[in-house]
C-alpha cells in the first residue's frame, strides 16, 4: 500500500497532515523523528486523511526532523511512506536577536535605494547556516555577491503593521571560511512606494529597514550569530529611483558608496510570521518577438502575450548612454497604448557603464505588458531581449481542453490572467496605478483559481490578512491589504469574500482548518449584515458596487448596472448566511448552525416578498437578478423557479446571446441556465463572438482576460473609460463552469472525496476534458462524440467515488479506477416554435441571413423575442410587424425554405 504524505500550514508549530493511499484503510500511524531523539509514533483509528491535526507536542523553533505515515486495514499495517523531512524557523518575537536597522541619512523618500552591509569572519568551513530575513520595503539580499533566494519582491505584501512575513533560507553553501559579506538592497515596494491612484506614497512608513538573523555552525564546532544591529553600514547605490508603479532607474556606472552608520529602529517584532505561501519567482521567460519602429521612432518589442514581470535586455553600448524601457498592454495607432496605465509611469531607465555586454533588468518593480518600447538603444546594440514572468509560484493542478479553439484560448487567457494577478496578493490588475487585493474580484474568481493551481496556502494567507484588517464592527475592507483606512466599507460581493473564499477552499481542498481559522471573521461579516438589515430584513439603502461593469453601464459609470443594487446586496446576505450556517455545522457548532440557518430562511422570505413576484418574475428583470435567484435558491416555490428560468432564457435570447452581466452575474449565469434546463443557451452565451461576449476579446487577439467586456472596442481603439485594464481575472470566473460542467469534473464532497461527473456533451463542442490533482490523487473526465455516440471516460482517485450522469440513464455511483461508458445521444428535435430556431446557432444564423436579405432591420434575435412561443410559421410576421401581408408571406416562404429538413 503506497502512501504519499504532505504537510500543510508549514511552517507552524502544529502543521496538519494529509496523505494519499492506493487502498482503503481504517487506521493510521504517524511517526515523528526529531533530530537527536528517538522516534515517537501516534496511532489512531479512522479513515481521515486530509488536514489531519498534529498529533504530537507543538514543534519548537529550529526543529529539524522527519515524518512518516502508514495506514492499516483490519489490523494489518502497510509500508511506511517515504520520510518527509522538515525544519522549523523562528516562532515568536523572543527568538529574534536581530533588530530592524535603517540607514541614518541615506535612502530617504525619493532618493536612491540604499544597500546595507556587514561582514563576518568564519574560522572554518560552514556545516549549517540559516538566514531569517525580512524588510520594511523590499529587499534583495546577497551573501558574497550571490542571491540568497530566487524569490523576487520579498517579503511580498501583507497587512504590514499587523502581519509581516519573513523567510528562512538555507545559506550554508554561500558562506566560506574567512571573510564573508552580507548585503541587502532595499526598495520602496508596497511599503513606501506609490499605492493607489491618489498619488499616495509611504503609506506604511517613511524609513526602509532590514531585519536579518544569520545563524551559522562551523566544522570546528563554533557557532556564529550575525544579526542586524548598529554594526551594519549603509551605502548609496546606482539604483536612483524605484517604484512598483513607476519603474526603476539604474545608473550602472555608480558603484556602492562609502558606508554610513545605521539606526536601530524601535519596530515591534510580534508582527512577524514565517513564510506561509509560495514566494514570487520568475516562472517563465518569454523571448521578445517581432521588433519594429513605431511612428514616433520608438523601437517596439512584442512579447506576443500579456504578462507580468519585467524586460531583460542584453546590450552593448557606450558609457553614459541612457536606455529607456516603457511598457504597455496594447498598441493604439501603432504606439504604446499607455492611457490605461493612468498615472503609473511603468518605465525602467538605465545609464550604461559601457565597454561590455550589460544585462539590464530591474529588481524592485514589476510591470503588466505585452509590448515594450525601447529608446536610446539601436537594434544592433541589442544582443537579446526577453520578458521575465513573475508570479507567486503556485503548483498547477488543473487542466482543461476542448474542441473549440476559441474557447481553448479563452481558457488559456484565464490561466494567464491568474498567473499575472496572483502576485503575492490576489490583485485586480497588474499594470495601472492600482494592483490591489480587491475582495470582490477574488471572491468571484476563487473557484476557478482553486482548480487551476493549488492556492490553498496563498489564499489562506490572504484571508488571514482579511481577518486582521476587518473592522471591529465586522466590515470587510474593499481591498486587502487595506489602504483605505478611513472608510468603513461594506459592499455586497466584495465583503462576502470573507465567507465565500474560505468556503471555496474547504470545498476544493477538504481541509477544514481554513474554516476554523476564519470562522470569527465569517461570523463577524454576517453579523454586520444582520445589523445593517432593517426591520424588513433587507440590506438596503447603502453604498454598493452592485453588478459592477454591467456591459450596459456607461464607460465612466461602471457601477450603473441594470440590476438593483439592494437586490444584489440582500442576495449576498443570504449567500453568506447560508455558508456560515454550513461552516458552523462542519465545525460542530450546532447552535450557530441553527441560528444562521434560521436567519437565512428569514432573509429569504424577506427577499422573496420584496423582489420576487408571485409568478416568479424579479423586480429587476435582468439576467444577473435571475442568475442569483436561481443559482442561490432564492425562489420559494417550484413554479416560481420554473418561471424565473423561462424568463432568464428569454432575456438571454432577446439579447442575441451577448453577455448582459457584470462581476456579480457573470460567474453565475451559465450555471443558472444549466440548472434551469437551458444548457444549450449557456453554450450560446459561451460561444457568442460579437461584443460583449467572452469570445469577443479572443477574436480581438486578447491573451488575457479583460477588465471590461470591451476594453478594446471593435475598431481597435481603447475603451474611453479611465478604468480599462487588459488583465483582470474577474470575468474569467466562467472557467469554473467550463471545468465543472462543460468537461464535467465537479466536487460533490469536500476535497473531491466525491466527484460529480456531469458533462454537457455537444452544444457546439465535439469533445472536452479536464484533469485535476485532487488531494486524493488525479481525477479526470473526458468525453467525445463520434457519430451520435457519446464516449465518456473518468478517472476516479483512490479513496473517492464518483456520481456519474449519462444521457438516458439515472445517475449512478462508481468507485476508484479508470472507467469508460458509451451512450447514444438523442437525435436533435426538430424546431417547432420560434424559440427553438433562435436556440439553434446554425439554423438561426441561416435564418438571420435570410431576414437581413429581406430588409429586416435590427437584431433578429431581439425582434424574435416578442414571439418566442409562437409557431415558426409566424416568424416572419413577428420580426416584421409593420410589413404588408405580401412582404410577410415572401419572407416566410424564404424562411420555410431554410426550415425544411
Ligand atoms: C478595480 C476592480 C474592483 C473595483 C471595485 C476597480 O478599480 O479594478 O476590479 O473590484 O474597482 O469597484
Amino acid at each position: 500500500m503506497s502512501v504519499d504524505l504532505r504537510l500543510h500550514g508549514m511552517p507552524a508549530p502544529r502543521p496538519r497532515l494529509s496523505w494519499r493511499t492506493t487502498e482503503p484503510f481504517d487506521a493510521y500511524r504517524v511517526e515523528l523523528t526529531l533530530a537527536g531523539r528517538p522516534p515517537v509514533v501516534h496511532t489512531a483509528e479512522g479513515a481521515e486523511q486530509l488536514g489531519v491535526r498534529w498529533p504530537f507536542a507543538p514543534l519548537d523553533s529550529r526543529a529539524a526532523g522527519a515524518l512518516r505515515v502508514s495506514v492499516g486495514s483490519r489490523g494489518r499495517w502497510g509500508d511506511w511512506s517515504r520520510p518527509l523531512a522538515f525544519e522549523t524557523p523562528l516562532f515568536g518575537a523572543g527568538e529574534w536577536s536581530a533588530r530592524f536597522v535603517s540607514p541614518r541619512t541615506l535612502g530617504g523618500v525619493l532618493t536612491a535605494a540604499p544597500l546595507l552591509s556587514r561582514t563576518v569572519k568564519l574560522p572554518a568551513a560552514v556545516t549549517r547556516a540559516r538566514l531569517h530575513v525580512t524588510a520594511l520595503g523590499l529587499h534583495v539580499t546577497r551573501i558574497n555577491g550571490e542571491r540568497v533566494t530566487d524569490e523576487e519582491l520579498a517579503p511580498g505584501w501583507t497587512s504590514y503593521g499587523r502581519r509581516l512575513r519573513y523567510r528562512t533560507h538555507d545559506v550554508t553553501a554561500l558562506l566560506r571560511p574567512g571573510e564573508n559579506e552580507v548585503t541587502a538592497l532595499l526598495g520602496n515596494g508596497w511599503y513606501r512606494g506609490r499605492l493607489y491612484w491618489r498619488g499616495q506614497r509611504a503609506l506604511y512608513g517613511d524609513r526602509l529597514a532590514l531585519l536579518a538573523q544569520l545563524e551559522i555552525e562551523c566544522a570546528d564546532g563554533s557557532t556564529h550569530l550575525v544579526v542586524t544591529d548598529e554594526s551594519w553600514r549603509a551605502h548609496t547605490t546606482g539604483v536612483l529611483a524605484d517604484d512598483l508603479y513607476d519603474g526603476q532607474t539604474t545608473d550602472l556606472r555608480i558603484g556602492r558608496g562609502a558606508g554610513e552608520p545605521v539606526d536601530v529602529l524601535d519596530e515591534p517584532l510580534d508582527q512577524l510570521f514565517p513564510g506561509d505561501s509560495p514566494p514570487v519567482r520568475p516562472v517563465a521567460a518569454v523571448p521578445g518577438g517581432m521588433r519594429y519602429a513605431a511612428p514616433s521612432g520608438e523601437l517596439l518589442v512584442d512579447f506576443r502575450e500579456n504578462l507580468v514581470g519585467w524586460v531583460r535586455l542584453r546590450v552593448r553600448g557606450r558609457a553614459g548612454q541612457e536606455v529607456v524601457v516603457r511598457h504597455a498592454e496594447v498598441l493604439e495607432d501603432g504606439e504604446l497604448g499607455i492611457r490605461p496605465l493612468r498615472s503609473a509611469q511603468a518605465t525602467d531607465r538605465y545609464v550604461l557603464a559601457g565597454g561590455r555586454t550589460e544585462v539590464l533588468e530591474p529588481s524592485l518593480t514589476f510591470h503588466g505588458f505585452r509590448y515594450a518600447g525601447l529608446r536610446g538603444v539601436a537594434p544592433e546594440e541589442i544582443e537579446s531581449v526577453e520578458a521575465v514572468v513573475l508570479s507567486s509560484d503556485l503548483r498547477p493542478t488543473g487542466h482543461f481542453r476542448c474542441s473549440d479553439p476559441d474557447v481553448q484560448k479563452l481558457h488559456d487567457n484565464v490561466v494567464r490572467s491568474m498567473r499575472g494577478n496572483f502576485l503575492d496578493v490576489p490583485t485586480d490588475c497588474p499594470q495601472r496605478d492600482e494592483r490591489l487585493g480587491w475582495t470582490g474580484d477574488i471572491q468571484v474568481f476563487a473557484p476557478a483559481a482553486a482548480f487551476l493551481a493549488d492556492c490553498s496556502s496563498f489564499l489562506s494567507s490572504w484571508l488571514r490578512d482579511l481577518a486582521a484588517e476587518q473592522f471591529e464592527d465586522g466590515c470587510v475592507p474593499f481591498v486587502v491589504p487595506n489602504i483605505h483606512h478611513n472608510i468603513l466599507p461594506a459592499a455586497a460581493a466584495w465583503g462576502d469574500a470573507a465567507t465565500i473564499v474560505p468556503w471555496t477552499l474547504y470545498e476544493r481542498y477538504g481541509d477544514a482548518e481554513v474554516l476554523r481559522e476564519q470562522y470569527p471573521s465569517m461570523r463577524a461579516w454576517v453579523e454586520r449584515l444582520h445589523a445593517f438589515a432593517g426591520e424588513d430584513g433587507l440590506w438596503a439603502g447603502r453604498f454598493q458596487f452592485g453588478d459592477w461593469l454591467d456591459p450596459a453601464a456607461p464607460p465612466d459609470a461602471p457601477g450603473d448596472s441594470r440590476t438593483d443594487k439592494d437586490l444584489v446586496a440582500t442576495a449576498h446576505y443570504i449567500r453568506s448566511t447560508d455558508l456560515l450556517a454550513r461552516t458552523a455545522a462542519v465545525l460542530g457548532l450546532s447552535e450557530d448552525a441553527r441560528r444562521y440557518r434560521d436567519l437565512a430562511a428569514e432573509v429569504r422570505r424577506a427577499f422573496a416578498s420584496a423582489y420576487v413576484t408571485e409568478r416568479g418574475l424579479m423586480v429587476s428583470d435582468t439576467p444577473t437578478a435571475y442568475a442569483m435567484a436561481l443559482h442561490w435558491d432564492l425562489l420559494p416555490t417550484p413554479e416560481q423557479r420554473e418561471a424565473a428560468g423561462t424568463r432568464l432564457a428569454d432575456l438571454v435570447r432577446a439579447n442575441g446571446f451577448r453577455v448582459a452581466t457584470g462581476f456579480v452575474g457573470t460567474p453565475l449565469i451559465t450555471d443558472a441556465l444549466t440548472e434551469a434546463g437551458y444548457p444549450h443557451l449557456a453554450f450560446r452565451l459561451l460561444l457568442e463572438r460579437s461584443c460583449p461576449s467572452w469570445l469577443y476579446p479572443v477574436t480581438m487577439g486578447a491573451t488575457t482576460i479583460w477588465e471590461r467586456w470591451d476594453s478594446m472596442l471593435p475598431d481597435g481603439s481603447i475603451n474611453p473609460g479611465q478604468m480599462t485594464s487588459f488583465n483582470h481575472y474577474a470575468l474569467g470566473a466562467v472557467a469554473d463552469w467550463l471545468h465543472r460542467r462543460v468537461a464535467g469534473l465537479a466536487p460533490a464532497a469536500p476535497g473531491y472525496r466525491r466527484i460529480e461527473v456531469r458533462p454537457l456533451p455537444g452544444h457546439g463542442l465535439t469533445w472536452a476534458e479536464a484533469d485535476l490533482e485532487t488531494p486524493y490523487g488525479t481525477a479526470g473526465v473526458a468525453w467525445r462524440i463520434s457519430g451520435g455516440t457519446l464516449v465518456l471516460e473518468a478517472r476516479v482517485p483512490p479513496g473517492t467515488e464518483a456520481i456519474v450522469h449519462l444521457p438516458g440513464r439515472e445517475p449512478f455511483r462508481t468507485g476508484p479506477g479508470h472507467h469508460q461508458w458509451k451512450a447514444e445521444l438523442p437525435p436533435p428535435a426538430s424546431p417547432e416554435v420560434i424559440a427553438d430556431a433562435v436556440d439553434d446557432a446554425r439554423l438561426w444564423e441561416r435564418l438571420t441571413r435570410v431576414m437581413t436579405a429581406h430588409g429586416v432591420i435590427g437584431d433578429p434575435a431581439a425582434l424574435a423575442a416578442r414571439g418566442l412561443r409562437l409557431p415558426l410559421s409566424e416568424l416572419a410576421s413577428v420580426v416584421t410587424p409593420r410589413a404588408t401581408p405580401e412582404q410577410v408571406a415572401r419572407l416566410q416562404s424564404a424562411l420555410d425554405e431554410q426550415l425544411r429538413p
Side-chain angles (χ1 to χ4, degrees):
M1 235 189 287
S2 89
V3 187
D4 182 13
L5 175 66
R6 275 176 192 226
L7 276 176
H8 302 277
M10 269 308 247
R14 287 193 186 85
R16 295 173 320 287
L17 310 160
S18 290
W19 53 85
R20 294 176 185 175
T21 72
T22 44
E23 304 293 328
F25 61 95
D26 52 35
Y28 59 87
R29 40 186 195 163
V30 186
E31 182 197 79
L32 168 69
T33 311
L34 285 170
R37 290 201 230 150
V40 238
V41 176
H42 169 85
T43 308
E45 308 242 306
E48 52 175 346
Q49 65 184 110
L50 293 194
V52 176
R53 297 184 102 179
W54 185 249
F56 306 105
L59 295 167
D60 293 328
S61 296
R62 305 179 187 83
L67 283 164
R68 304 193 293 175
V69 68
S70 95
V71 296
S73 175
R74 296 201 207 126
R76 289 194 44 208
W77 291 108
D79 295 339
W80 285 106
S81 67
R82 257 188 310 177
L84 185 70
F86 66 84
E87 202 179 293
T88 61
L90 308 181
F91 299 132
E95 301 287 346
W96 290 85
S97 317
R99 290 292 171 266
F100 280 96
V101 296
S102 181
R104 183 156 298 166
T105 64
L106 303 173
V109 177
L110 296 176
T111 66
L115 182 94
L116 300 186
S117 75
R118 154 84 208 250
T119 53
V120 52
K121 230 188 190 130
L122 297 174
V126 173
T127 50
R128 185 175 196 278
R130 297 292 181 268
L131 174 69
H132 313 281
V133 61
T134 188
L136 305 178
L138 303 177
H139 70 94
V140 178
T141 300
R142 293 185 154 87
I143 292 181
N144 297 325
E146 299 283 334
R147 294 277 297 260
V148 299
T149 167
D150 58 358
E151 176 175 8
E152 299 290 353
L153 306 171
W157 190 16
T158 48
S159 300
Y160 300 146
R162 295 187 173 88
R163 287 176 22 91
L164 177 62
R165 185 191 293 127
Y166 74 90
R167 291 205 194 259
T168 298
H169 305 291
D170 179 351
V171 294
T172 314
L174 302 183
L175 291 158
R176 53 191 180 225
E179 184 98 338
N180 292 272
E181 188 191 42
V182 187
T183 64
L185 175 70
L186 300 182
N188 296 309
W190 298 276
Y191 187 84
R192 200 181 68 169
R194 281 216 295 139
L195 271 183
Y196 214 30
W197 60 76
R198 296 196 187 116
Q200 319 176 110
R201 69 171 83 240
L203 236 65
Y204 293 98
D206 57 9
R207 292 190 79 173
L208 302 180
L210 179 74
L211 180 78
Q213 179 155 321
L214 176 56
E215 302 177 353
I216 309 167
E217 293 168 21
C218 288
D220 65 353
S222 61
T223 60
H224 308 264
L225 185 62
V226 180
V227 299
T228 40
D229 57 16
E230 53 288 319
S231 69
W232 286 59
R233 306 287 288 168
H235 314 260
T236 51
T237 68
V239 179
L240 303 180
D242 65 280
D243 185 83
L244 297 181
Y245 293 171
D246 293 334
Q248 183 171 326
T249 300
T250 313
D251 189 333
L252 294 149
R253 298 169 305 181
I254 302 179
R256 180 198 301 194
E260 69 152 35
V262 296
D263 288 334
V264 176
L265 302 187
D266 191 17
E267 185 75 22
L269 301 183
D270 52 5
Q271 51 166 326
L272 296 171
F273 70 94
D276 57 350
S277 60
V280 172
R281 289 198 174 103
V283 293
V286 177
M290 215 177 31
R291 302 182 204 170
Y292 45 93
S296 63
E298 190 168 33
L299 184 64
L300 299 184
V301 183
D302 180 0
F303 292 96
R304 296 195 188 88
E305 60 177 271
N306 197 15
L307 55 86
V308 175
W310 57 57
V311 173
R312 181 187 287 149
L313 266 175
R314 281 170 192 279
V315 300
R316 246 186 122 83
R318 307 174 313 278
Q321 180 176 343
E322 198 193 6
V323 178
V324 179
V325 186
R326 304 195 308 145
H327 305 80
E329 295 182 287
V330 290
L331 299 180
E332 199 173 32
D333 303 324
E335 302 283 351
L336 295 183
I338 57 168
R339 182 172 53 82
L341 305 180
R342 300 195 299 221
S343 74
Q345 297 302 306
T347 302
D348 295 330
R349 294 168 202 276
Y350 306 89
V351 181
L352 305 187
R356 58 184 161 84
T357 299
E358 290 173 270
V359 180
L360 311 183
E361 72 179 315
S363 58
L364 302 174
T365 188
F366 69 91
H367 311 290
F369 62 102
R370 169 175 167 166
Y371 301 93
L374 311 181
R375 289 181 182 163
V377 61
E380 58 280 8
E381 292 172 323
I382 301 174
E383 288 181 6
S384 69
V385 49
E386 61 181 344
V388 176
V389 181
L390 298 182
S391 178
S392 282
D393 194 8
L394 308 180
R395 184 171 54 93
T397 47
H399 305 94
F400 168 86
R401 288 162 298 270
C402 74
S403 58
D404 186 299
D406 285 352
V407 174
Q408 189 64 52
K409 273 191 197 137
L410 170 74
H411 190 269
D412 295 347
N413 293 354
V414 173
V415 174
R416 216 174 274 118
S417 278
M418 173 171 169
R419 185 181 69 178
N421 280 298
F422 273 47
L423 196 94
D424 209 47
V425 163
T427 57
D428 58 336
C429 59
Q431 71 299 76
R432 66 178 177 226
D433 51 1
E434 192 153 3
R435 318 185 192 182
L436 306 177
W438 280 98
T439 47
D441 303 44
I442 188 60
Q443 181 271 110
V444 298
F445 188 67
F451 174 93
L452 294 170
D454 177 0
C455 10
S456 51
S457 59
F458 175 88
L459 287 178
S460 305
S461 180
W462 180 79
L463 284 168
R464 279 179 213 125
D465 287 315
L466 181 150
E469 304 225 69
Q470 201 164 357
F471 291 79
E472 278 221 343
D473 69 350
C475 276
V476 174
F478 295 153
V479 295
V480 173
N482 188 14
I483 55 162
H484 305 140
H485 288 286
N486 37 16
I487 319 176
L488 262 197
W494 273 254
D496 298 284
T499 51
I500 296 175
V501 177
W503 183 262
T504 303
L505 297 183
Y506 172 62
E507 178 186 66
R508 302 309 174 98
Y509 302 119
D511 183 352
E513 186 64 20
V514 66
L515 299 182
R516 230 169 271 137
E517 247 193 75
Q518 294 302 124
Y519 191 72
S521 152
M522 299 169 81
R523 193 170 187 272
W525 171 247
V526 170
E527 287 297 341
R528 168 69 278 186
L529 302 187
H530 183 46
F532 271 146
E535 287 279 283
D536 54 6
L538 303 173
W539 175 14
R542 291 174 187 268
F543 170 82
Q544 294 293 348
F545 292 115
D547 191 21
W548 186 251
L549 283 172
D550 175 332
D556 277 319
D560 283 1
S561 60
R562 284 167 287 201
T563 310
D564 181 74
K565 289 185 176 164
D566 292 338
L567 185 159
V568 170
T570 298
H572 280 83
Y573 174 20
I574 299 170
R575 175 79 180 138
S576 274
T577 310
D578 274 345
L579 295 182
L580 183 65
R582 289 161 75 177
T583 300
V586 171
L587 300 180
L589 307 168
S590 48
E591 217 161 283
D592 272 14
R594 197 170 332 109
R595 166 171 158 65
Y596 294 111
R597 253 196 318 266
D598 292 349
L599 178 61
E602 195 181 306
V603 188
R604 270 194 167 77
R605 282 192 292 275
F607 179 88
S609 87
Y611 297 121
V612 189
T613 71
E614 216 169 301
R615 294 185 49 199
L617 297 183
M618 306 292 299
V619 299
S620 274
D621 192 29
T622 63
T624 292
Y626 288 102
M628 285 189 301
L630 286 162
H631 192 52
W632 290 346
D633 199 12
L634 308 181
L635 300 160
T637 67
E639 294 75 28
Q640 284 171 312
R641 278 197 288 281
E642 171 91 36
T646 308
R647 182 65 190 151
L648 174 61
D650 287 353
L651 288 176
V652 166
R653 290 169 174 134
N655 206 40
F657 303 102
R658 284 177 297 272
V659 166
T661 48
F663 272 32
V664 165
T666 298
L668 310 175
I669 186 154
T670 46
D671 274 301
L673 284 167
T674 308
E675 289 153 7
Y678 301 93
H680 54 297
L681 300 191
F683 275 89
R684 291 292 314 265
L685 274 180
L686 173 72
L687 298 174
E688 179 58 37
R689 284 162 170 80
S690 64
C691 184
S693 66
W694 277 291
L695 294 187
Y696 162 70
V698 172
T699 67
M700 295 293 286
T703 58
T704 37
I705 300 299
W706 294 351
E707 174 173 31
R708 295 173 180 270
W709 294 107
D710 57 351
S711 283
M712 181 171 280
L713 304 180
D715 67 3
S717 62
I718 297 170
N719 186 298
Q722 56 84 41
M723 187 196 78
T724 299
S725 125
F726 292 86
N727 201 354
H728 243 74
Y729 50 56
L731 300 178
V734 69
D736 182 48
W737 179 75
L738 295 178
H739 308 145
R740 283 185 292 103
R741 297 310 313 270
V742 175
L745 174 51
Y752 294 82
R753 166 80 185 70
R754 193 174 320 116
I755 297 166
E756 191 172 55
V757 176
R758 195 178 191 179
L760 294 168
H763 306 295
L765 300 187
T766 53
W767 60 269
E769 55 188 45
D771 58 75
L772 175 68
E773 203 54 40
T774 77
Y776 295 91
T778 307
V781 177
W783 61 261
R784 73 193 122 87
I785 299 173
S786 66
T789 303
L790 169 71
V791 183
L792 175 64
E793 287 178 63
R795 184 168 165 190
V796 182
T800 71
E801 61 171 7
I803 312 289
V804 185
H805 297 249
L806 260 190
R809 260 178 87 169
E810 283 299 305
F812 59 93
R813 277 165 203 274
T814 187
H818 193 244
H819 310 274
Q820 194 194 73
W821 305 275
K822 285 188 179 165
E824 291 312 308
L825 289 173
S830 49
E832 283 167 16
V833 294
I834 293 177
D836 298 337
V838 172
D839 294 358
D840 181 334
R842 281 207 206 139
L843 172 62
W844 189 246
E845 201 188 309
R846 292 205 313 270
L847 297 177
T848 297
R849 241 180 275 135
V850 171
M851 289 185 265
T852 313
H854 277 74
V856 172
I857 297 164
D859 180 1
L863 294 167
R866 305 295 326 153
L868 289 167
R869 241 63 76 206
L870 296 176
L872 265 170
S873 54
E874 292 184 39
L875 178 55
S877 59
V878 168
V879 297
T880 56
R882 298 197 188 156
T884 62
E886 295 74 42
Q887 287 169 323
V888 169
R890 227 173 305 136
L891 173 57
Q892 188 64 45
S893 95
L895 292 170
D896 288 343
E897 191 84 355
Q898 298 296 326
L899 288 164
R900 224 161 273 146

